[in-house]
Amino acid sequence: MHANTITEQLTAAGRAIEHDSFSIIDAEAGAHAYTAGQWPIVRRMIHANADFEFNGLTEFHPHAIEAGLAAVLAGGTPIVADVEMICVGLSKGRLAHFGLHPHEFISDPDVIEAARTADTTRAVQAMKKAQRLGLLDGAIVGIGNAPTALIELVRLIRDDGVRPALVVGMPVGFVSAAESKALLAAVDAVPWITIRGRKGGSTLVVAALHALLGLAESRQLQTSRA
């Protein structure tokens, strides 16, 4: 039997700790309503925060897993993030294996100036810039910090016909966070993964994406054995 190597911890000790953690989560979570493709993502999110409420709070568009896997396995897919933390948190080695390229624009001088001029947030202008650069169509978009980025992305999807391959929308906070995720959950045209309510964060986006990369490597290995 072939096991993942690219998306695993680099040492035997690290792999043992991670696998033991996953086993504990499986045992303590018990029965759940997620599919075999969805549960590894929820489990890794629980692992990132030791918060079992994500078993239930996490929601998936019906085509989220297959769309995400197709985007990863296609190679060359951009990952557009709302903040640098997501780009930094993603494993460079795992991204390189799939030819994925992370992008974020939140601190670009032109984004800051546009936000000041329009009296809006940098996150809104960063999404607009990603669209101008042609990065959103076919991309995996990860939003873990800024509800306004997610609200703008939903607007671009609805009004401008933007079509990311997958949106991992999990902004955290008290102002518009829950509302932005509810807007995303009402979108049918684009696959998404989200969390109901106020909880979220960039670490959870990174966890979800790493889990997706693990599923993609497993799919690669299955294909190579066929």
Side-chain angles (χ1 to χ4, degrees), residues 1-217:
M1 178 176 178
H2 296 353
N4 286 4
T5 56
I6 300 298
T7 57
E8 288 281 335
Q9 294 292 319
L10 296 178
T11 66
R15 290 191 294 273
I17 291 170
E18 188 167 78
H19 292 173
D20 286 349
S21 296
F22 289 160
S23 295
I24 292 168
I25 292 168
D26 286 340
E28 292 192 16
H32 57 77
Y34 296 105
T35 68
Q38 294 168 349
W39 178 245
I41 292 176
V42 177
R43 180 174 61 191
R44 191 171 281 274
M45 290 165 59
I46 294 170
H47 179 258
N49 277 30
D51 187 344
F52 280 86
E53 287 194 6
F54 295 118
N55 177 12
L57 289 180
T58 310
E59 296 184 343
F60 295 82
H61 183 281
H63 304 303
I65 301 302
E66 285 305 316
L69 288 175
V72 170
L73 293 171
T77 299
I79 296 178
V80 178
D82 62 331
V83 291
E84 185 180 9
M85 185 182 296
I86 292 173
C87 297
V88 172
L90 291 169
S91 164
K92 290 182 175 62
R94 299 178 196 188
L95 294 179
H97 175 74
F98 295 104
L100 304 178
H101 307 287
H103 305 268
E104 57 83 21
F105 306 105
I106 194 76
S107 296
D108 288 5
D110 59 329
V111 166
I112 296 169
E113 183 57 32
R116 287 172 175 161
T117 300
D119 192 24
T120 185
T121 68
R122 290 183 295 149
V124 167
Q125 297 301 324
M127 285 296 117
K128 289 179 181 291
K129 180 171 182 177
Q131 169 61 356
R132 289 196 304 273
L133 294 175
L135 290 172
L136 291 180
D137 285 313
I140 297 171
V141 182
I143 298 175
N145 184 75
T148 56
L150 187 54
I151 292 169
E152 175 62 16
L153 180 62
V154 171
R155 187 197 68 76
L156 289 167
I157 291 168
R158 289 180 171 170
D159 297 348
D160 296 353
V162 171
R163 292 294 181 265
L166 175 68
V167 179
V168 182
M170 303 177 177
V172 62
F174 298 94
V175 178
S176 300
E179 292 82 355
S180 70
K181 289 177 280 187
L183 287 174
L184 178 63
V187 170
D188 184 59
V190 171
W192 45 260
I193 305 171
T194 194
I195 301 166
R196 284 185 287 110
R198 294 172 169 175
K199 291 187 176 185
S202 297
T203 55
L204 292 173
V205 173
V206 170
L209 292 177
H210 278 164
L212 185 64
L213 297 183
L215 290 170
E217 186 182 3

